[in-house]
Amino acid sequence: WGPAELLVCETLFSRAGGSRSRCPARSPCPSRFWGEGRAGDAARALTGSLAGSGDGAPSSSRVFVVRRDQDIYIQTLRKLFNESHGIFMGLQRSEEELAGKSRKAQLVQVSKNYRSVIRACMEDMHQAAVLTRDSALQGQYSTQVSILSAMELIWNLCEILFVEAATAGPLLLRLLDWVRLHVCDVDSMVREVLNSESPSKHKLFWNVVDVFVLQGRMDEARHLLSKEASANPTSVNMYKILDDLMKKMPVPSLGNTQTLTELELKWQHWHEECQRYLQDGTFASNPHMESICKILLGDEEAILEKKELMTTWYHFLVTRLLYSHPTVKPMELRFYAQSSMDLFLGGESSPEPLDMILMAAFEFEMHQVIKECSIVLSNWWFVAHLTDLLDHCKLLQSHNLYFGSNMREFLLLEYASGLFSHHSLWQLGVDYFDHCPEYGRAYLELHIERIPLSTEQKALKVLRICEQRQMHEQVRSICKIMAMKALRNNRLGSALSWSIRAKDAAFATLISDRFLKDYCERGCFSDLDLIDNLGPSMLLSDRLTFLGKYREFHRLYGEKRFLEAARLLLMLMTAHIAPCSFWMTLLTDALPLLEQKEVIFSAEQTYELMRCLEDLTAGNPDKQRFQDDDVETTKVEMLRLALARNLARVIVKEGTVEGS
Amino acid sequence: QDNRISIWSAGDLGNEGLNGEYHGEPRLLCDIQHNGDVMDMQFLDQERIVVASSTGTVTIFRHHQNNQTLSANHLWEKAHYHVDQDTSCGGAACTGVVCNNPEIVTVGEDGRINLFRADQKDAVRTIDNADSSTLHAVTFLRTTEILTVNSIGQLKIWDLRQQRNEPSQIFSLAGDRVPLHCVDRHPNQQHIVATGGQDGMLSIWDIRQGTMPVSLLNAHEAEMWEVHFHPSDPDHLFTCSEDGSLWHWDTSTNVSEKPSFLHQGGRSTAYLSHSTVNQSVVSAWLSNDPTKDRMEITNLIPNQTLSVNSLDVLGPCLVYGTDAEAIYVNRQLFA
């Protein structure tokens, strides 16, 4: 189980308030929990695979797997998450000092980057849908493609209205681009006509011309009309006039070549000219051309007749604006939008969620846009990134929710938490938490400890993240977990290396005790390569130091450097580096040294040894097993004897005058 | 978990545009499911790839070039395992693999060294408990000797001809026993070895002399995952790290300091006097004089975010992979 998965077991009692579990797959119900605070958190987690009976009737027990965020497991979306993470980080790090135009240009570029990532993902998904043979999977991919396409549509509009904040004039041009890019139901028809041998004879010819006119693609329309004109000499006159009108149509320009008033004047002039031609009946003989002229005049009915070619109300809106109010100001959009939608839908169908979102955008209700998107989409990716971008544009006042953090942070936290339940995408989540000033760190601390550490490499990555953020608690706890695992697998060297990383003296003591225990049982050291090469890490814990020194004693003894060995042995006991339990072993190790032909221990040292022996045996007599254990008593006696003999010899030796 | 081994084509030579620059994006040719994380992999020969898994399994995959498919050719399960059966199926991650056709050597978190032959079902030789800590990487020193690095900062040489299960030599870092994660040997001069540590430090060792590194270069800010000498141009070294950077170490700049007649003769030094031979053939990597021998170090990644986990270099081509699930191919390394 991942850290953010819940196991839900249905009981035999009917569920009180069972409405929560009715969420159909893939659409969360945060609308009810918007602003409800953290209590809604668990319920928000109930997205995805809840498919049980929601009516609360007692039924056979089922076990549900509930996942926080199902979308992150879609293979093809991983590119989206990874790439957008890169863009997000770039945005956070970008210079704040850039002001005014250059900053705006930078933000627009970021927005375009996000959009291109969405498009790339759409492409991949589309490819996958085409290549797969599994129809269920194909359906899933197609749905995803349409969702992504809708997301890009919304994002693009937000970019035009909010990020770029296009002003009257360029606004219309941007909206035209937007429509041309996104309404592509007619593309295949267009291609068909253009690729046919004589386009003007094609039955859909006029449809295509209409499409071009509706989308403001004057040059292409004129090009097609010229073919018609050459094929049909009788209407050459009409064609010339229409062509002329289309050529002269004033459009807003991106540069500062003309002011709005200039444009309006020109446009008024042109409009009147078109009016005149229409009223004169110039185009009366050709209904197609007449309708085109009406469209040029902005006649709503004429435009509405071409509903199927426009397919959406926002296309209708833009066409209307193009031919009746090309200098529309951003704040005026809402009125036109509302009326366009009403006219287009005409009461036959009710607006869909996408329509509502776009309407909210036209009304410049950013919060509404975000709220609606959150409701409709099954994943926090879109709203989190969009809100973050808008926040960087300084467009969102801190919309304080009940639990204190602002909306941007709330959404980023939700998105990142979703990422953490993934076995590999959690690394992206870390960076998101970093950029949530209020609660990010707390969230990160809780989440990072719960990542399953299947390999050492993963643990190292997690540790590095914790260390970089000074999360010492987490470092300690993770190192302890890894060290315990290593210890259980008998990898004492690994365990030691983990405790060194965490500077965990207690654990190092534990490991040393293990070594010493092994030694006592087997009589020799295991893992000599480790103990011999402890280096400065020996100082991490007293026990470890003792272990290293003890091994050194053995080495010295093996190399027959008895004097040094003796000195070391004594130091181990007198400096209290050795644990009391080990003193007996140490004294026993002293025996062969005492029994050597030449005297090794000096008088001082012998006295010390005797003192140690007395300290050891003078302990609590009840607890002492020495009295009952024959081996132990023999040992003590032998030691006493050896010590006494050594003392005798050394006194004689030291008393002897040299050279006499 | 859905891990796959994939083979990509990074563009054929025939795709070169007019000015030879545009090569096209890497295309996926084929892939196959893999059990567990891929910890290390290496080509055994033109068609076979040996892959080390986090489940402790070592697999040989065969790439069928005629129909562009991959298939699992041979499997050594439980090549690495922990003795304690309570842990997850007892498997221990296999952390490093190196091939010298037909021999394959693997090392793992269980401190075990395995020697396999490509055509044999069982391991030819296993050194149990070769190390009390995790072995992070392995490479061939000579055909019968291997080098391993472990997580207590030791570099060990193992002689595979000998039957005893002890390393023939142990080298260790001077100060703190920082774990070493990667190791590579100079392609031509077999006594020069480079290792990378957990603190991002690059160490150059001369294994003919001493037990400590010749030079310690403070490199990255986090674990160094891989280090590679350029196989045909060993004055160049590449390292990649958890901190998201990939460094190119270039010691070829002191070529100009060598006497000019060396250029003409190439590597042949037969006609030079003894003293100049000694001076000029000593590799730049071992020189200790920082003022005389300048090393150029460049970070090849402009805007780094997540860790660079692995890299490989061949000819003018550099490939590396990051934690942002992206693979980068640089086809004009020395341009």
Side-chain angles (χ1 to χ4, degrees):
Chain A
W1 304 102
E5 291 174 339
L6 304 176
L7 189 61
V8 174
C9 193
E10 197 180 306
T11 62
L12 284 179
F13 304 114
S14 62
R15 266 188 302 251
S19 58
R20 276 188 189 172
S21 61
R22 270 195 224 243
C23 304
R26 289 173 148 248
S27 74
C29 320
S31 56
R32 288 172 245 194
F33 309 122
W34 190 271
E36 250 185 45
R38 285 283 165 257
D41 223 13
R44 213 174 285 113
L46 292 177
T47 66
S49 356
L50 265 191
S53 60
D55 39 11
S59 56
S60 56
S61 2
R62 282 184 241 188
V63 175
F64 300 102
V65 176
V66 176
R67 267 209 181 126
R68 189 182 189 103
D69 191 336
Q70 200 169 278
D71 283 350
I72 54 176
Y73 290 92
I74 299 178
Q75 192 64 21
T76 31
L77 280 184
R78 279 171 86 148
K79 185 170 171 169
L80 183 72
F81 298 128
N82 278 295
E83 294 283 318
S84 58
H85 167 259
I87 301 172
F88 175 85
M89 291 303 290
L91 177 60
Q92 309 306 311
R93 288 182 195 158
S94 67
E95 291 134 33
E96 295 280 356
E97 299 101 47
L98 291 178
K101 274 203 175 147
S102 39
R103 177 73 176 156
K104 194 200 268 211
Q106 200 179 44
L107 291 168
V108 171
Q109 187 55 47
V110 169
S111 177
K112 287 194 159 79
N113 288 343
Y114 274 122
R115 280 198 296 130
S116 72
V117 168
I118 300 178
R119 297 215 122 208
C121 216
M122 255 165 65
E123 278 294 320
D124 286 347
M125 199 85 77
H126 186 74
Q127 280 295 91
V130 162
L131 289 173
T132 185
R133 303 224 186 99
D134 179 0
S135 60
L137 212 54
Q138 200 171 45
Q140 202 182 58
Y141 286 144
S142 306
T143 322
Q144 273 300 326
V145 170
S146 53
I147 293 177
L148 284 173
S149 155
M151 291 202 312
E152 214 246 310
L153 178 74
I154 302 168
W155 193 299
N156 200 346
L157 186 62
C158 291
E159 180 186 312
I160 297 172
L161 296 176
F162 305 141
V163 182
E164 199 180 345
T167 52
L171 175 61
L172 184 67
L173 290 177
R174 292 275 182 255
L175 286 175
L176 273 174
D177 284 335
W178 175 65
V179 161
R180 285 176 202 157
L181 196 57
H182 288 105
V183 178
C184 25
D185 291 352
V186 295
D187 280 355
S188 53
M189 177 175 74
V190 169
R191 261 197 304 272
E192 200 187 307
V193 170
L194 287 176
N195 289 339
S196 71
E197 280 170 18
S198 64
S200 54
K201 298 278 183 285
H202 201 287
K203 60 174 160 59
L204 295 173
F205 172 76
W206 285 107
N207 283 358
V208 175
V209 177
D210 287 335
V211 164
F212 286 151
V213 171
L214 289 167
Q215 289 186 0
R217 288 149 85 171
M218 290 305 174
D219 292 334
E220 292 168 81
R222 286 173 50 217
H223 181 75
L224 268 188
L225 277 178
S226 69
K227 292 206 205 296
E228 155 77 0
S230 51
N232 203 346
T234 51
S235 44
V236 159
N237 268 347
M238 274 198 294
Y239 156 73
K240 271 208 189 113
I241 297 174
L242 191 59
D243 182 77
D244 195 49
L245 282 177
M246 286 162 95
K247 194 163 74 177
K248 281 196 301 192
M249 172 172 162
V251 280
S253 64
L254 279 174
N256 288 335
T257 52
Q258 57 178 359
T259 62
L260 275 182
T261 23
E262 272 178 34
L263 175 64
E264 273 191 34
L265 265 154
K266 277 197 209 163
W267 189 82
Q268 203 54 40
H269 210 75
W270 174 83
H271 192 89
E272 281 163 11
E273 197 179 335
C274 290
Q275 192 80 33
R276 252 182 302 129
Y277 277 117
L278 185 67
Q279 281 168 351
D280 284 347
T282 326
F283 304 109
S285 53
N286 191 328
H288 293 292
M289 289 202 187
E290 194 174 37
S291 88
I292 289 178
C293 190
K294 284 192 188 157
I295 293 173
L296 289 180
L297 282 171
D299 184 352
E300 278 170 17
E301 281 168 26
I303 302 177
L304 266 177
E305 272 174 32
K306 313 288 176 189
K307 237 174 154 179
E308 294 85 40
L309 294 176
M310 291 190 291
T311 66
T312 56
W313 64 270
Y314 36 95
H315 188 326
F316 174 56
L317 165 68
V318 176
T319 309
R320 246 180 100 197
L321 290 173
L322 174 63
Y323 293 117
S324 48
H325 311 276
T327 55
V328 63
K329 295 193 188 43
M331 286 304 149
E332 294 168 355
L333 275 177
R334 62 181 67 208
F335 310 113
Y336 295 116
Q338 189 63 52
S339 58
S340 298
M341 186 159 83
D342 294 335
L343 281 171
F344 193 90
L345 294 176
E348 292 164 0
S349 44
S350 58
E352 290 182 3
L354 178 61
D355 299 326
M356 299 313 296
I357 295 171
L358 293 172
M359 181 61 69
F362 283 121
E363 290 174 356
F364 280 79
E365 295 279 342
M366 265 175 269
H367 293 289
Q368 188 68 22
V369 170
I370 294 169
K371 182 171 162 178
E372 300 270 345
C373 286
S374 309
I375 294 172
V376 166
L377 294 167
S378 58
N379 180 282
W380 298 102
W381 178 88
F382 180 78
V383 284
H385 288 88
L386 183 62
T387 312
D388 175 64
L389 180 61
L390 293 177
D391 190 62
H392 272 88
C393 300
K394 309 245 186 296
L395 290 171
L396 293 176
Q397 301 93 26
S398 56
H399 182 103
N400 273 319
L401 302 171
Y402 285 120
F403 36 90
S405 67
N406 64 21
M407 180 152 69
R408 168 189 172 270
E409 179 156 327
F410 170 75
L411 293 171
L412 283 176
L413 288 173
E414 289 296 312
Y415 172 62
S417 304
L419 284 176
F420 258 91
S421 59
H422 193 275
H423 58 88
S424 150
L425 289 174
W426 59 269
Q427 284 181 290
L428 307 177
V430 173
D431 283 320
Y432 285 104
F433 279 140
D434 278 344
H435 288 101
C436 293
E438 260 190 73
Y439 289 116
R441 195 187 161 90
Y443 267 69
L444 183 60
E445 280 175 8
L446 289 173
H447 273 109
I448 205 132
E449 273 190 309
R450 285 156 177 80
I451 297 171
L453 302 171
S454 45
T455 62
E456 287 203 355
Q457 195 171 15
K458 206 166 173 186
L460 287 171
K461 285 182 188 276
V462 173
L463 272 179
R464 182 61 59 183
I465 290 171
C466 292
E467 280 176 1
Q468 279 171 346
R469 290 155 182 80
Q470 274 94 42
M471 294 185 176
H472 301 298
E473 279 298 317
Q474 281 68 29
V475 168
R476 256 193 300 255
S477 100
I478 291 170
C479 283
K480 261 214 180 59
I481 294 172
M482 296 308 291
M484 264 326 276
K485 267 198 220 174
L487 206 58
R488 261 191 297 164
N489 289 325
N490 224 22
R491 311 259 87 244
L492 294 175
S494 292
L496 187 62
S497 109
W498 287 112
S499 35
I500 291 174
R501 176 99 185 240
K503 301 199 195 348
D504 192 344
F507 214 91
T509 310
L510 196 79
I511 298 170
S512 321
D513 279 338
R514 256 295 263 280
F515 271 116
L516 292 170
K517 201 167 71 121
D518 278 349
Y519 170 77
C520 288
E521 280 168 17
R522 281 191 280 167
C524 63
F525 284 108
S526 60
D527 305 316
L528 277 176
D529 62 336
L530 172 64
I531 310 174
D532 277 341
N533 294 301
L534 280 175
S537 57
M538 212 196 292
L539 300 171
L540 184 61
S541 112
D542 284 345
R543 199 59 53 81
L544 199 56
T545 318
F546 167 65
L547 183 65
K549 293 285 173 197
Y550 189 50
R551 169 67 196 142
E552 200 181 320
F553 162 72
H554 277 271
R555 258 212 327 267
L556 289 171
Y557 188 90
E559 291 168 10
K560 301 205 187 304
R561 290 151 69 182
F562 295 126
L563 279 173
E564 291 170 46
R567 218 172 306 139
L568 182 58
L569 188 64
L570 201 54
M571 193 257 295
L572 285 177
M573 279 192 283
T574 51
H576 293 285
I577 301 179
C580 286
S581 50
F582 225 74
W583 277 20
M584 203 57 212
T585 322
L586 287 177
L587 285 169
T588 324
D589 285 331
L591 256 180
L593 289 173
L594 291 166
E595 299 292 334
Q596 289 280 338
K597 268 218 200 89
E598 41 170 294
V599 169
I600 297 173
F601 286 102
S602 71
E604 275 297 318
Q605 289 173 330
T606 320
Y607 283 131
E608 284 292 327
L609 279 174
M610 291 162 106
R611 188 177 62 75
C612 291
L613 184 57
E614 286 314 308
D615 281 344
L616 202 55
T617 50
N620 198 330
D622 297 329
K623 273 199 188 160
Q624 290 288 25
R625 287 183 295 277
F626 289 174
Q627 324 301 41
D628 305 325
D629 198 341
D630 279 336
V631 179
E632 292 300 323
T633 29
T634 326
K635 260 200 225 168
V636 171
E637 280 178 16
M638 278 178 62
L639 268 171
R640 289 225 169 89
L641 186 59
L643 282 167
R645 283 215 292 254
N646 191 58
L647 191 57
R649 288 193 303 168
V650 81
I651 289 176
V652 168
K653 176 177 171 216
E654 283 178 5
T656 313
V657 173
E658 287 290 307
S660 67
Chain B
Q1 286 202 18
D2 186 28
N3 296 315
R4 311 189 76 86
I5 305 275
S6 320
I7 304 222
W8 301 74
S9 152
D12 317 313
L13 288 174
N15 263 349
E16 272 182 47
L18 285 172
N19 41 6
E21 276 173 13
Y22 171 69
H23 291 286
E25 289 216 354
R27 287 181 305 122
L28 177 65
L29 292 177
C30 50
D31 62 3
I32 188 170
Q33 178 119 43
H34 181 259
N35 214 4
D37 296 340
V38 174
M39 306 294 294
D40 199 2
M41 61 181 175
Q42 193 166 47
F43 272 97
L44 179 61
D45 55 24
Q46 284 280 48
E47 291 191 335
R48 288 181 294 178
I49 308 156
V50 185
V51 178
S53 161
S54 62
T55 57
T57 307
V58 180
T59 322
I60 302 186
F61 288 97
R62 183 178 283 273
H63 176 214
H64 307 274
Q65 282 172 353
N66 46 359
N67 59 350
Q68 289 302 349
T69 51
L70 274 170
S71 61
N73 200 2
H74 194 98
L75 203 65
W76 287 289
E77 284 195 10
K78 294 282 178 34
H80 293 277
Y81 56 92
H82 288 303
V83 191
D84 185 350
Q85 293 305 316
D86 290 341
T87 53
S88 56
C89 46
C94 175
T95 50
V97 69
V98 70
C99 310
N100 189 1
N101 204 355
E103 291 184 333
I104 302 167
V105 180
T106 70
V107 292
E109 279 181 15
D110 54 352
R112 182 171 277 116
I113 302 178
N114 287 318
L115 175 62
F116 297 105
R117 279 185 84 88
D119 40 8
Q120 286 181 10
K121 191 160 95 77
D122 293 322
V124 168
R125 177 142 174 230
T126 301
I127 305 178
D128 281 325
N129 216 13
D131 201 308
S132 61
S133 63
T134 303
L135 287 166
H136 283 294
V138 63
T139 189
F140 272 102
L141 181 61
R142 297 187 179 83
T143 27
T144 51
E145 290 185 342
I146 54 171
L147 283 164
T148 60
V149 288
N150 64 9
S151 56
I152 38 177
Q154 294 174 329
L155 175 68
K156 295 185 184 175
I157 303 182
W158 302 81
D159 190 337
L160 297 174
R161 290 168 300 191
Q162 295 183 7
Q163 277 312 110
R164 63 187 188 127
N165 289 348
E166 299 282 324
S168 51
Q169 244 187 312
I170 302 182
F171 301 85
S172 46
L173 296 168
D176 281 331
R177 298 287 191 252
V178 173
L180 293 173
H181 284 293
C182 50
V183 64
D184 196 20
R185 193 207 74 201
H186 194 286
N188 309 326
Q189 300 179 322
Q190 293 178 341
H191 53 272
I192 301 179
V193 172
T195 61
Q198 202 173 82
D199 52 358
M201 185 118 41
L202 173 68
S203 318
I204 310 283
W205 312 68
D206 182 348
I207 57 176
R208 294 172 308 190
Q209 31 178 276
T211 54
M212 294 207 314
V214 166
S215 48
L216 295 168
L217 301 157
N218 222 337
H220 297 279
E221 292 161 5
E223 286 87 351
M224 187 189 296
W225 293 124
E226 287 202 15
V227 62
H228 287 276
F229 280 99
H230 192 289
S232 44
D233 205 347
D235 282 336
H236 297 266
L237 181 78
F238 297 88
T239 58
C240 68
S241 157
E242 174 73 22
D243 68 1
S245 58
L246 199 161
W247 289 22
H248 170 194
W249 307 69
D250 182 0
T251 54
S252 59
T253 46
N254 49 1
V255 163
S256 53
E257 306 219 352
K258 293 192 185 144
S260 57
F261 49 75
L262 258 189
H263 283 242
Q264 293 149 13
R267 291 201 194 280
S268 152
T269 52
Y271 307 113
L272 300 171
S273 68
H274 187 65
S275 57
T276 40
V277 164
N278 272 345
Q279 253 183 6
S280 45
V281 172
V282 163
S283 169
W285 295 109
L286 293 181
S287 330
N288 279 328
D289 190 349
T291 56
K292 191 169 95 178
D293 307 309
R294 281 171 310 125
M295 199 183 319
E296 264 186 42
I297 307 171
T298 23
N299 183 359
L300 295 178
I301 301 183
N303 43 350
Q304 56 199 55
T305 41
L306 293 180
S307 158
V308 181
N309 289 327
S310 180
L311 74 98
D312 205 357
V313 60
L314 186 68
C317 223
L318 171 74
V319 179
Y320 59 94
T322 67
D323 262 343
E325 304 188 4
I327 306 176
Y328 296 82
V329 180
N330 182 345
R331 310 259 301 219
Q332 289 166 336
L333 201 46
F334 300 114

